[in-house]
Amino acid sequence: MGKIKSFISKIWKLAWEHKRISIPVLIALLVVGYILLPKSQKTILTETVKKQDVQKLVSVTGNVYADNSVNLAFGTAGTLAYLGVKTGDTVKAYQTIATLDQRTVQKNLQIALANYAEQRNTFDATEQSYGDTKSQQATSDQMRRILENNQYDLNKAVTSVELQDLVRQQSVLTTPIAGIVTRADVLAAGVNITPATTFTVTDPNSLGFKMEVDEADIGQIKVGQSVNVSLDSFPNDNLKLKVNRIDFVSHVTSSGGNAFYVEVTLPMQNNYRVGMSGNADIIIDSRNNVIAIQSSDIFDNNYVYVKTAKGYAKRKLNLGLQSDTEAQVLSGLSEGDTVAIDPTSVPQNLVIKN
């Protein structure tokens, strides 16, 4: 043991005395050793061929909207005398939302009715005065004009009453549908409003999901196709719906392209709200329980590497329906075969030459 230590000590002393030579030599030896050391074999990931479902999808985004929603406003300006709702209230169909001050309207209607009564008396008196002579002097232009003017005045009086009654009706705002008040531009009665003052009622049982489909894909979309919808606010709700409407006219997207709205109806009695966003997969075509592999397995014009006892064999495939991630195999593989997931990971020395 003492001899070994003495030998190492002499070697170390010699290396230290000639360090200008020994250090470069040591570095060179380390580099050569690294190059000559055997490298670990890169792992080749594989998958077993099996039967599965293949779906061709068009993936889009969209928002929840209400198919039945109305904006309500008064036809004239005025003072708000009654306000019966606020935002968030539930209303019934034909319920009164608000009314304007009707005192001026009522007075104008009374005046119009009085004018009508007066004109009616004049009309009846004129008819009676000329009743006996009308038939004998039917050719008299003067008499005919008197009778016609009398009729015109009566008609104007009737129209005036109808107009004032229409104004009275327009001073009462009612909702034609049941739903939730989602907009109310005023908070209390007693304020002056204009025809621009708006109330909105939305039917929560008429919600749908509206998707924006690019014009390049719209030709593949048809009414009745299945759609899987996932809302951002309810990620655990996997909604399986059907396309029920496709826009006939395109619109310009925010990026300047052309797209069409595609709509599905959401189930009733839900907790969804207008404006919620989400993702949707429209199923264009599908094959169920067929032999399929990942699209990443395929290379060089429909070839795959199949693992065998001797290495990896390059095999040509005949493909059917293909999605973005999977491909149906019509021939070239059997259930249970093992293929390389990443063809570039297969060393050429493991590929069996034909």
Side-chain angles (χ1 to χ4, degrees):
M1 187 67 178
K3 293 181 178 180
I4 295 175
K5 288 183 177 180
S6 176
F7 177 76
I8 293 174
S9 176
K10 290 179 180 180
I11 294 296
W12 177 254
K13 182 178 179 180
L14 180 65
W16 180 255
E17 291 175 352
H18 301 84
K19 58 184 176 182
R20 295 184 61 184
I21 298 174
S22 59
I23 292 176
V25 170
L26 180 60
I27 294 174
L29 290 174
L30 291 174
V31 171
V32 171
Y34 175 79
I35 294 174
L36 296 179
L37 282 175
K39 304 296 187 299
S40 59
Q41 184 70 42
K42 183 179 180 181
T43 302
I44 302 174
L45 300 178
T46 61
E47 70 163 321
T48 302
V49 178
K50 61 182 179 180
K51 289 187 176 182
Q52 55 187 302
D53 296 339
V54 179
Q55 295 180 332
K56 185 178 181 182
L57 308 174
V58 171
S59 298
V60 292
T61 59
N63 298 92
V64 177
Y65 77 105
D67 194 40
N68 195 12
S69 182
V70 292
N71 292 322
L72 307 173
F74 290 102
T76 60
T79 301
L80 196 65
Y82 166 76
L83 178 62
V85 298
K86 62 182 182 298
T87 301
D89 285 351
T90 300
V91 295
K92 299 178 180 179
Y94 308 110
Q95 179 177 330
T96 298
I97 299 294
T99 60
L100 296 179
D101 188 341
Q102 298 186 17
R103 289 176 294 180
T104 301
V105 175
Q106 292 290 356
K107 292 296 182 183
N108 289 335
L109 181 58
Q110 291 175 9
I111 292 173
L113 288 171
N115 289 336
Y116 168 75
E118 180 182 1
Q119 191 57 45
R120 183 73 207 188
N121 287 335
T122 302
F123 178 83
D124 292 341
T126 303
E127 284 282 296
Q128 186 176 1
S129 298
Y130 289 95
D132 296 335
T133 60
K134 230 176 6 176
S135 60
Q136 301 174 9
Q137 304 177 11
T139 58
S140 171
D141 291 340
Q142 181 179 5
M143 184 183 301
R144 187 171 62 253
R145 282 194 297 271
I146 291 173
L147 294 173
E148 287 176 351
N149 289 338
N150 201 36
Q151 183 65 57
Y152 295 153
D153 290 340
L154 180 61
N155 290 344
K156 286 191 295 184
V158 172
T159 302
S160 178
V161 171
E162 293 175 345
L163 286 174
Q164 291 303 322
D165 185 58
L166 183 60
V167 172
R168 181 189 62 79
Q169 294 177 35
Q170 291 179 341
S171 66
V172 179
L173 196 64
T174 60
T175 171
I177 66 171
I180 298 173
V181 179
T182 54
R183 175 180 174 180
D185 287 351
V186 290
L187 301 177
V191 298
N192 293 327
I193 58 95
T194 69
T197 303
T198 304
F199 298 85
T200 302
V201 177
T202 302
D203 181 1
N205 292 320
S206 68
L207 298 185
F209 189 74
K210 181 180 290 187
M211 302 160 283
E212 199 172 52
V213 178
D214 189 86
E215 64 176 338
D217 297 319
I218 197 64
Q220 305 176 79
I221 311 299
K222 297 179 177 61
V223 172
Q225 286 176 334
S226 297
V227 183
N228 296 327
V229 176
S230 176
L231 300 177
D232 296 341
S233 301
F234 297 89
N236 295 326
D237 290 0
N238 185 17
L239 302 174
K240 298 183 181 299
L241 309 171
K242 299 286 186 181
V243 174
N244 60 9
R245 187 159 57 197
I246 304 172
D247 269 3
F248 186 73
V249 179
S250 68
H251 64 274
V252 179
T253 66
S254 58
S255 60
N258 290 330
F260 294 80
Y261 284 123
V262 176
E263 301 171 11
V264 297
T265 299
L266 292 174
M268 296 177 63
Q269 305 300 327
N270 55 63
N271 294 319
Y272 309 140
R273 297 175 183 271
V274 174
M276 286 182 173
S277 58
N279 301 304
D281 290 327
I282 305 174
I283 302 175
I284 305 305
D285 199 356
S286 64
R287 300 289 186 275
N288 297 325
N289 197 32
V290 295
I291 294 177
I293 59 174
Q294 298 183 53
S295 299
S296 60
D297 301 350
I298 304 169
F299 71 100
D300 193 19
N301 194 23
N302 297 348
Y303 279 92
V304 294
Y305 282 132
V306 180
K307 186 176 181 179
T308 68
K310 297 181 179 180
Y312 286 84
K314 186 178 179 182
R315 190 176 298 175
K316 176 77 171 181
L317 304 182
N318 181 21
L319 301 179
L321 182 65
Q322 299 181 57
S323 70
D324 292 337
T325 58
E326 298 162 332
Q328 177 191 6
V329 179
L330 299 178
S331 62
L333 289 176
S334 300
E335 188 175 5
D337 284 344
T338 301
V339 297
I341 292 178
D342 179 10
T344 62
S345 68
V346 179
Q348 288 304 303
N349 64 319
L350 296 182
V351 177
I352 302 172
K353 305 300 181 182
N354 293 329

